[in-house]
């Protein structure tokens, strides 16, 4: 091979590694939080990764000896872990899977490209030998030039094919790995690591047995056994599919766990709501009865005081003081009235409880529920509405608290609206927030800003479960710095 072709090959290798670095920053960046600005990080990471790979090849030249191969692979893996930790906040279990799977997909893609394109390479080299064996010097030069172009073209095609396979499968893993914040247990990490490690070791095995020497001639294994040209890529391709299947299976497990947690929390919320609302209903029924009796008693006493106009001045002065005392007592009784009147006593009690809890954190909170009205004969269970409003209010209050911590002078408000159109009941909850939302691909609802994100979105998921039990839906939107949650329920028929 001429010097010019060797130089071109070195250049193509650098380009190939640069693209690998680009894929690496895309792959890691889809799961991990970068330590700097994402765009600058991408370019810097690709360049540093290229220097890392070329430096490793210079220090540790490629070889096929078992220990040499194993040692280089282990050093490469360890350095890649360190490399990722330098660019990403990657102190988590998923970093191990990401590193191993990236190495596996990279090596498998290269081997598939090399093996599948081996037959065209054999044809080119056969033509090379035939061309250089011609007697005419001019013909030899022409054939040399043609072969050089063909070899370079074949190498470019190999690189493009390997990058295509690598890009498709890395992108597929990112897309299928929907629960990127899911905290894996050790058993789950092992479950998705095994296919990736198997693929990586398969590539190491192929590299160790790929080359044999017969009669002082170096030949590749698939040259000796032609059927391996199709068999080996098939096995490697299945190895890639096993990595994807492992990811999909883990996502199904994560989804089932989240669904289970959501159901458990929903059941507890329903039980708690039933008990709490039943108790509140009894308490407020007693309060209403007591208020009714006290008002009657106070009215009688006031009437007696008003009728005693002929009393001596000293006793009249005492009656005035008693009248003032009774007036204060009446005002205190009026304060026992619930500040919310929605037509649903359970909702009234829930709003009363949530509002006074919120005032402890946000004294200037404006909770508007004038447009939250329900007909008395509404055939929707009160605690179902309580689940929806309770979870929605918890999320809204959390957003308002976060807003006030960042901007103490900002206006914190929550507006509750309901209206009915035919057989459909609409609930709308609006609240102020700081304008920032954490949104993840494939995630239906925004992610919570809390430290524990394993159960993120459970409140909204439970709202969705209740809505679906009434053949309804849940939607959300953002208008500047206001979060809007809309819930639609189909009112059951009373026939």
């Amino acid at each position: 091979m001429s010097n010019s072709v060797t130089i071109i090959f070195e250049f193509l290798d650098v380009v190939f590694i640069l693209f690998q670095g680009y894929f690496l920053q895309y792959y890691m960046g889809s799961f991990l939080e970068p330590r700097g600005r994402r765009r600058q990080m991408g370019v810097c990471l690709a360049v540093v990764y290229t220097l890392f790979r070329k430096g490793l090849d210079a220090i540790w030249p490629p070889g096929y000896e078992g220990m040499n191969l194993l040692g280089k692979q282990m050093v490469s893996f360890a350095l890649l872990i360190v490399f990722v930790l330098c660019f990403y906040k990657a102190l988590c279990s998923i970093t191990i899977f990401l590193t191993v799977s990236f190495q596996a997909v990279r090596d498998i893609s290269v081997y598939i490209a090399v093996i599948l394109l081996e037959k065209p390479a054999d044809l080119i080299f056969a033509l090379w030998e035939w061309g250089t064996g011609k007697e005419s010097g001019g013909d030899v030069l022409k054939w040399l030039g043609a072969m050089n172009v063909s070899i370079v073209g074949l190498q470019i095609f190999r690189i493009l094919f390997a990058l295509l396979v690598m890009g498709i499968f890395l992108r597929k893993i990112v897309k299928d790995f929907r629960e990127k914040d899911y905290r894996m247990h050790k058993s789950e990490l092992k479950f998705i690591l095994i296919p990736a490690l198997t693929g990586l070791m398969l590539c190491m095995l192929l590299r160790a047995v790929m080359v044999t020497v017969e009669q002082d001639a170096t030949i590749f294994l698939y040259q000796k056994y032609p059927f391996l040209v199709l068999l080996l890529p098939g096995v490697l391709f299945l190895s890639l599919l096993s990595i994807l299947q492992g990811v999909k299976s883990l996502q199904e497990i994560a989804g089932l766990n989240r669904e289970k947690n959501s159901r458990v929390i929903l059941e507890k919320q329903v039980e708690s709501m039933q008990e709490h609302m039943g108790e509140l209903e009894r308490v407020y029924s007693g309060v209403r009865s007591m208020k009714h009796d006290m008002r009657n008693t106070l009215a009688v006493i006031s009437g007696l005081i008003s009728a005693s106009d002929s009393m001596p001045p000293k006793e009249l002065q005492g009656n005035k003081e008693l009248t003032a005392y009774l007036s204060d007592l009446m005002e205190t009784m009026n304060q026992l009235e619930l500040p919310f009147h929605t037509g649903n006593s359970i909702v009234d009690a829930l709003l009363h409880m949530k509002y006074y809890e919120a005032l402890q954190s946000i004294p200037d909170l404006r909770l508007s529920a004038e447009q939250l009205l329900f007909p008395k004969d509404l055939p929707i269970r009160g605690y179902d509405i309580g689940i929806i409003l309770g979870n929605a209010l918890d999320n809204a209050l959390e957003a308002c608290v976060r807003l006030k911590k960042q901007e103490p002078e900002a206006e914190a408000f929550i507006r509750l609206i309901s209206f009915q159109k035919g057989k459909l009941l609409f609930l709308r909850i609006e609240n102020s927030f700081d304008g920032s939302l954490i949104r993840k691909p494939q995630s239906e609802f925004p992610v919570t800003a809390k430290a524990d994100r394993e159960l993120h979105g459970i409140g909204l998921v439970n709202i969705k479960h209740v809505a679906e039990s009434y053949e309804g839906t849940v939607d959300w939107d953002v208008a500047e710095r206001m979060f809007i949650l809309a819930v639609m329920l189909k009112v059951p028929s009373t026939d």
Side-chain angles (χ1 to χ4, degrees), residues 286-298:
V287 170
R288 284 194 296 269
S289 177
M290 183 182 68
K291 283 165 50 181
H292 181 268
D293 294 340
M294 287 295 293
R295 281 198 177 111
N296 289 338
T297 302
L298 292 175

Side-chain angles (χ1 to χ4, degrees), residues 186-285:
K186 290 183 179 180
S187 58
E188 294 169 335
L189 179 60
K190 293 176 184 176
F191 177 76
I192 60 172
L193 264 182
I194 288 174
L197 284 171
T198 302
L200 197 58
M201 291 181 179
L202 178 61
C203 290
M204 294 174 62
L205 175 63
L206 285 178
R207 180 169 292 183
V209 302
M210 186 74 73
V211 178
T212 59
V213 178
E214 293 184 1
Q215 299 178 354
D216 296 330
T218 300
I219 63 172
F220 288 93
L221 189 63
Y222 42 77
Q223 291 175 329
K224 185 177 181 180
Y225 304 103
F227 71 92
L228 292 179
V229 173
L230 295 177
L231 181 61
L232 289 179
V235 172
L236 292 169
F237 187 74
L238 288 175
S239 181
L240 286 175
L241 290 180
S242 69
I243 297 174
L244 285 180
Q245 189 58 46
V247 169
K248 290 181 179 179
S249 298
L250 176 66
Q251 296 312 291
E252 292 177 359
I253 294 172
L256 290 174
N257 287 340
R258 191 178 297 280
E259 183 77 11
K260 179 181 177 181
N261 291 333
S262 174
R263 291 290 183 183
V264 170
I265 293 175
L266 178 59
E267 290 173 2
K268 290 182 178 179
Q269 284 182 335
V270 170
E271 292 176 3
S272 175
M273 190 70 68
Q274 287 176 314
E275 294 176 2
H276 191 63
M277 291 307 172
E279 184 64 26
L280 281 176
E281 181 66 21
R282 287 192 295 271
V283 170
Y284 283 111
S285 294

Side-chain angles (χ1 to χ4, degrees), residues 146-162:
M147 289 306 101
N148 286 341
V149 172
S150 299
I151 292 171
V152 171
L154 179 63
Q155 183 66 8
I156 293 174
F157 190 66
R158 279 176 173 168
I159 290 174
L160 292 176
F161 188 85

